[in-house]
Amino acid sequence: MVRLILRRDRVLLPIWVLVIAVLPASYAATYAELYPTAAQRAEYLATTAGNPSIVALLGPAYGDSVGALATQRAGLLHLIVGLISLLVVVRHTRTEEEAGRRELLGATVLGRAAPLAAALLVTYAADLLLGLLVAGGLVASDLPAAGSVAFGLSVTLAGMFFATVGALVAQLTESAGAARGLGLAVLGVAYLVRLAGDAGGVEWLSRLSPLGLAQRTHPYTSERWWPLAVLVGLTALVGALASGLAARRDLGAGVLPQRLGPATAGGALAGPLGLAWRLNRVALLGWTVGAAALGAVLGGAAEAAGSAVEGNEAVARLMERLGGSASVAEAYLGATLSITALAAAGYGIQAALRMRAEETAQRAEPVLATGVSRSRWLLGHLAFALLGPAAVLVVTGLVTGLAYGLSIGDVAGRVPRLTGAALAHVPAVWVLVGVAVLLFGLLPRVSVGVAWAALAACLLLGQLGAVLELSQWLLDLSPFTHTPQVLGGPVPRTPLLALTATAAALSAAGLLAFRRRDLPR
């Protein structure tokens, strides 16, 4: 079972481990270059790293050393690793069971506990490897070993805990979608509890969250190991509960009763667009709410970020490369909006790949056996894959502009300006959606792995390209490189039109390929 999981995840697993592993060391190198003196770092901590909005988003900083600031900047890694670990375990447990493959394996000599144990073992090993690479990269950046190990272990144990949460929710529900939804709800509550505790300075509230515990190791100041021990205990407790439920429930069933739907479908389900809305509405709502919360935090922190780097020419030049030639505060917002655009692209890819999930679960074939054509079915899903990210970015721009406008007393001027800046990223997002649609139509077996790998590559180039001064031809591989920074001047239309045309061509090619290929059996 371990070999089977490694075989199936041979592309995605190494990619996310390696991409995440290099980020903390890159942050350390950036802080060492931009804030070389202790006085500069202390000023940055007082004005920016200590800002309530930044603390709410990333977590607290426990000192003004390069390591302390870099690990605060990498605070979202606990959330990201937890999310990936949870999804990997659900994929190799409940998804396999729902598809019927688990029952086939169970009819052989495979033991009942083997699939769950194998999924956890592989995910735990990936999290441990990631933690070791994170610690090794920080040590290689001339940071103290104790703090590097503490931060690396905190990332590892955050991933392990939420991997075990994934194992638990896989026992509670009957469908993989419900398991993912329940697991994401647990992760979201943990993040919100940590956010509320850190923003309000309520230490005990932050410690109630596993994410808050993972950030209480105080790396590079006075390393604390007891939060890691608590995480180990919580992981063991949740794991024992998941194992016990797996041994007692029926195969294919969940502990929580499945709620029956209405006996008759509503009129909205009469066509493929209504079906696509039914399948994507929960995810779209979740991404939109998350984007609104992120926009509020980013907009509230912009003024403090701009004030913190006044007089630091190196930071100003970097921010202008990342966010345009406007004021430093707006350059900061431009840079953060580009990261939000990557998150919106994640939703677009997820919506596009929903077609592959419907196909492999054999739910697409009965629909296509009716009068619904392949083109109409694909276009129904494509509507949400294209318009959904645009809606997420509009909400992000609106809330960011509102928060920033309130902080400087210029709501009427900043809301449309930042909404337009967010919308400028939509064509680049559409290109990644087009890549996913093309892969679905042309190479469906590898569509999921390659589509997410493309997003990971864009994230890596966007985060490290300007800092490491990579070759331009390499940066040009990312569609986000061609997105104009509209906050710094007039909006050039040529790159936006070129990106839109590229996305349309990729989507059209994917549609033609899907119309001509066979459905899997």
Side-chain angles (χ1 to χ4, degrees):
M1 286 300 298
V2 168
R3 290 174 60 191
L4 175 62
I5 294 173
L6 292 174
R7 175 72 170 79
R8 295 183 63 194
D9 285 353
R10 64 188 182 279
V11 176
L12 277 180
L13 205 61
I15 286 176
W16 74 258
V17 168
L18 293 176
V19 168
I20 295 176
V22 301
L23 291 178
S26 70
Y27 296 149
T30 301
Y31 279 113
E33 177 184 358
L34 300 180
Y35 303 98
T37 66
Q40 289 177 322
R41 292 194 298 272
E43 182 181 1
Y44 175 83
L45 175 63
T47 56
T48 299
N51 180 275
S53 296
I54 296 295
V55 172
L57 178 65
L58 303 176
Y62 296 105
D64 57 10
S65 65
V66 170
L69 296 178
T71 51
Q72 186 208 27
R73 177 65 179 82
L76 286 179
L77 291 189
H78 300 94
L79 176 69
I80 295 172
V81 174
L83 171 64
I84 295 174
S85 301
L86 187 152
L87 295 179
V88 167
V89 172
V90 172
R91 161 180 160 83
H92 292 291
T93 53
R94 176 51 67 176
T95 301
E96 294 298 290
E97 196 168 333
E98 185 181 15
R101 292 185 288 265
R102 168 68 180 86
E103 186 174 7
L104 294 175
L105 293 173
T108 66
V109 296
L110 188 68
R112 185 179 181 90
L116 179 60
L120 287 175
L121 182 60
V122 171
T123 311
Y124 286 172
D127 290 331
L128 180 59
L129 176 61
L130 173 61
L132 292 174
L133 291 175
V134 166
L138 292 172
V139 170
S141 302
D142 297 327
L143 297 179
S148 302
V149 171
F151 184 73
L153 283 178
S154 70
V155 173
T156 293
L157 290 175
M160 287 183 173
F161 174 79
F162 284 104
T164 315
V165 170
L168 176 61
V169 297
Q171 315 309 315
L172 297 177
T173 62
E174 291 187 10
S175 70
R180 285 191 290 267
L182 186 57
L184 291 176
V186 174
L187 183 64
V189 169
Y191 180 71
L192 290 176
V193 170
R194 198 279 304 160
L195 183 150
D198 288 342
V202 185
E203 181 71 14
W204 66 266
L205 183 59
S206 297
R207 292 180 181 179
L208 293 179
S209 167
L211 296 174
L213 278 174
Q215 293 182 324
R216 260 50 192 180
T217 54
H218 292 212
Y220 304 108
T221 51
S222 55
E223 284 75 22
R224 297 180 178 180
W225 306 101
W226 66 263
L228 303 181
V230 174
L231 278 177
V232 170
L234 290 175
T235 301
L237 180 62
V238 176
L241 181 58
S243 178
L245 294 177
R248 288 171 174 81
R249 66 175 178 86
D250 291 334
L251 187 64
V255 176
L256 300 178
Q258 186 80 357
R259 190 182 66 175
L260 297 178
T264 305
L269 288 176
L273 186 62
L275 176 61
W277 162 250
R278 177 82 176 188
L279 295 174
N280 290 282
R281 60 183 182 178
V282 175
L284 178 58
L285 177 62
W287 281 85
T288 305
V289 171
L294 181 61
V297 173
L298 296 177
E303 186 180 11
S307 301
V309 299
E310 289 181 358
N312 192 323
E313 296 182 359
V315 178
R317 286 195 302 270
L318 176 63
M319 293 303 296
E320 288 176 4
R321 288 205 306 271
L322 293 173
S325 57
S327 65
V328 176
E330 290 196 346
Y332 160 80
L333 289 174
T336 53
L337 284 176
S338 65
I339 299 175
T340 307
L342 287 166
Y347 168 73
I349 292 174
Q350 178 188 12
L353 294 177
R354 184 59 190 255
M355 295 183 289
R356 178 60 180 165
E358 293 295 295
E359 185 182 20
T360 55
Q362 299 183 357
R363 292 188 291 266
E365 190 170 4
V367 174
L368 296 175
T370 66
V372 176
S373 67
R374 291 194 180 197
S375 298
R376 287 182 61 204
W377 181 78
L378 186 144
L379 290 174
H381 286 276
L382 186 59
F384 288 93
L386 295 177
L387 299 180
V392 170
L393 286 172
V394 166
V395 171
T396 304
L398 284 172
V399 178
T400 302
L402 180 62
Y404 181 48
L406 289 173
S407 66
I408 64 173
D410 185 21
V411 174
R414 302 303 166 177
V415 168
R417 186 175 174 85
L418 287 168
T419 303
L423 280 173
H425 293 280
V426 170
V429 172
W430 285 350
V431 170
L432 286 182
V433 172
V435 170
V437 174
L438 177 62
L439 290 169
F440 167 72
L442 195 61
L443 300 169
R445 290 174 60 90
V446 300
S447 59
V448 175
V450 178
W452 288 113
L455 178 62
C458 292
L459 174 62
L460 184 61
L461 291 174
Q463 287 287 291
L464 302 180
V467 176
L468 300 181
E469 299 181 354
L470 299 178
S471 300
Q472 188 60 43
W473 70 266
L474 189 60
L475 297 177
D476 287 341
L477 295 177
S478 170
F480 295 95
T481 302
H482 307 282
T483 299
Q485 301 294 346
V486 301
L487 291 176
V491 182
R493 298 181 179 180
T494 301
L496 297 178
L497 293 175
L499 288 172
T500 303
T502 301
L506 291 170
S507 301
L511 172 60
L512 291 176
F514 175 64
R515 291 177 59 184
R516 297 182 180 183
R517 70 170 174 85
D518 292 333
L519 295 181
R521 296 189 181 278

